[in-house]
Amino acid sequence: MKKLTNLAIALLFFAVAINANTWKFDKAHSTIGFDVTHMVITTVDGKFNKFDGTVTTDGDAWETAQINFTADVNSIDTDNEDRDKHLRSDDFFAADEHPQMKFVSKSMEKVGDKKYKLTGDLTIRGTTKEVVLDVTHSDTIQDPWGNTRAGFSITGTINRFDFGLKWNNALETGGLVVSKEVDLDIQAQIIKQ
């Protein structure tokens, strides 16, 4: 009986492995972006130029997605080198000590037509917090070279103070020079391997 049970478990794992798909980020067609409010009156945006990650799904069911993603903090780019240097410093990311931020998914819940809630652990500056992000699956296509590609828009808001990025100066009006809230704007194109 024990051999039969072990055989059934092995066959189940084999069946899952056969249906498992691995996807890699197309870095040339993906953007890991963010924006913050500056002095209460304008928005400053930026991105991380170096990142990597994989998505594993059971077949084509996106609600089974397992996502592992990292971004190189030293690649932060706000189109202003002085500001980028400050963001890499101990006032914000402490990039020398914490060169990567990481996201590991826990669940991807379907909430509508091509709409999902992505829950996972985000680690920035050595602090890990659970975050929930909104995901829209734009489509899955075959490109002219026979590759299967899928596109996603991922948005959400995090409090940078939760991750130890606490530098700030108060304005006379009571606002902050840099908002606590950071809006994420991620455009991800992934390719089936």
Side-chain angles (χ1 to χ4, degrees):
M1 182 67 173
K2 186 176 179 180
K3 286 183 180 180
L4 186 58
T5 301
N6 289 342
L7 178 62
I9 291 171
L11 287 173
L12 178 63
F13 282 124
F14 182 70
V16 169
I18 288 175
N19 288 327
N21 291 322
T22 300
W23 305 73
K24 293 286 284 178
F25 282 81
D26 179 350
K27 297 174 194 174
H29 298 102
S30 299
T31 305
I32 311 307
F34 63 89
D35 59 63
V36 296
T37 303
H38 182 252
M39 294 196 178
V40 191
I41 57 172
T42 58
T43 299
V44 173
D45 60 0
K47 61 184 176 178
F48 294 92
N49 290 322
K50 294 181 182 175
F51 55 87
D52 204 1
T54 58
V55 178
T56 305
T57 59
D58 182 7
D60 294 329
W62 295 114
E63 57 272 16
T64 67
Q66 296 292 312
I67 302 161
N68 286 285
F69 176 84
T70 58
D72 179 352
V73 173
N74 285 295
S75 74
I76 196 164
D77 181 0
T78 64
D79 201 28
N80 181 301
E81 184 52 41
D82 288 339
R83 181 171 49 223
D84 295 345
K85 185 177 179 182
H86 188 204
L87 289 169
R88 289 190 292 266
S89 77
D90 191 53
D91 283 344
F92 288 95
F93 284 100
D96 287 345
E97 189 177 345
H98 303 285
Q100 284 192 333
M101 58 182 196
K102 183 176 183 179
F103 177 82
V104 178
S105 68
K106 292 179 172 180
S107 67
M108 181 109 147
E109 178 189 0
K110 188 165 188 173
V111 294
D113 184 33
K114 297 189 176 189
K115 303 281 187 187
Y116 299 85
K117 289 286 186 187
L118 173 61
T119 302
D121 286 334
L122 178 63
T123 302
I124 300 174
R125 198 178 161 138
T127 299
T128 302
K129 299 279 185 183
E130 184 176 275
V131 297
V132 179
L133 305 173
D134 295 313
V135 178
T136 301
H137 172 221
S138 55
D139 211 347
T140 302
I141 62 152
Q142 289 287 124
D143 70 19
W145 304 276
N147 300 304
T148 302
R149 294 175 176 265
F152 296 89
S153 177
I154 304 160
T155 59
T157 301
I158 62 170
N159 183 334
R160 66 184 175 90
F161 284 17
D162 290 345
F163 297 93
L165 285 73
K166 293 190 176 184
W167 178 89
N168 226 325
N169 286 328
L171 298 169
E172 289 181 17
T173 60
L176 299 176
V177 172
V178 179
S179 63
K180 291 188 290 187
E181 294 76 24
V182 178
D183 294 325
L184 305 178
D185 182 10
I186 300 164
Q187 302 301 314
Q189 189 173 131
I190 57 176
I191 307 172
K192 188 187 287 187
Q193 301 301 290

